[in-house]
Each structure stands twice: as structure tokens, then as C-alpha cells.
């Protein structure tokens, strides 16, 4: 899709190495968005999803995206530092 291609071009243009998404206020994510996150991962960008709801964690597990994407409860937890190059979603 044009939107996915535009996002991938932005990521490439800005040399994005990590894409961070805070999902704390997100109830549902469409399969289209999940596909975009997988496409971003396939481009070599580390995708980090923080604070997904219990339901969203279930979807990530069923689709096995929890194996590809970094799913976390805490922002920059113990021993981690903030990524130096990131695009916040």
C-alpha cells in the first residue's frame, strides 16, 4: 500500500534502526498495522512495542509476531538505555 511504502521510505531516509511504539492507550490494532510492523522488521529495523494490552498480547502471540518484535511492559527497563536512533509511533 502507499501508506506502508511511505513509512518504509521515511524509515530508510532517516536511517531508523529502532521503531518504538507505546501501545498503552491502544485497545485494538488492525491486521493491516500488524503487517506494516512485520514489514518494518523485515527491513532490518528493530520494532519495540511497549505496554500492549492483554488482548493485544494475545493477538501478537497467536500471530507469532511476539517472536519477531520486541514486546515489553516497561519503557527502557533496568539495564537498558534509550535507543539513540528511533522513530516514535
Amino acid at each position: 500500500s502507499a501508506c506502508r511504502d511511505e513509512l518504509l521510505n521515511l524509515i530508510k531516509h532517516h536511517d531508523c534502526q529502532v521503531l518504538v511504539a507505546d501501545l498503552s492507550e491502544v485497545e485494538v490494532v488492525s491486521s493491516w498495522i500488524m503487517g506494516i510492523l512485520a514489514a518494518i522488521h523485515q527491513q532490518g529495523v528493530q520494532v519495540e512495542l511497549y505496554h500492549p494490552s492483554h488482548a493485544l498480547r494475545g493477538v501478537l502471540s497467536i500471530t507469532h509476531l511476539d517472536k519477531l518484535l520486541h514486546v515489553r511492559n516497561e519503557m527502557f527497563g533496568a539495564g537498558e538505555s534509550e535507543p539513540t536512533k528511533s522513530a516514535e509511533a
Side-chain angles (χ1 to χ4, degrees):
S1 76
C3 184
R4 181 193 70 210
D5 294 342
E6 181 65 23
L7 182 57
L8 291 174
N9 284 335
L10 282 170
I11 287 170
K12 183 177 180 181
H13 177 74
H14 292 284
D15 192 29
C16 179
Q17 297 173 5
V18 180
L19 177 75
V20 176
D22 180 2
L23 303 175
S24 59
E25 296 185 26
V26 177
E27 295 291 323
V28 219
V29 175
S30 72
S31 59
W32 181 77
I33 295 294
M34 296 290 204
I36 289 175
L37 293 174
I40 291 169
H41 169 77
Q42 289 174 342
Q43 296 297 312
V45 176
Q46 180 176 321
V47 178
E48 296 188 359
L49 306 177
Y50 289 87
H51 308 112
S53 67
H54 181 71
L56 188 49
R57 279 184 172 276
V59 171
L60 291 166
S61 177
I62 289 170
T63 59
H64 301 289
L65 285 174
D66 62 340
K67 306 279 190 264
L68 294 177
L69 313 177
H70 297 266
V71 182
R72 302 171 190 238
N73 287 324
E74 300 291 327
M75 290 293 279
F76 317 119
E80 295 180 334
S81 61
E82 185 174 349
T84 54
K85 288 190 176 187
S86 65
E88 220 172 288

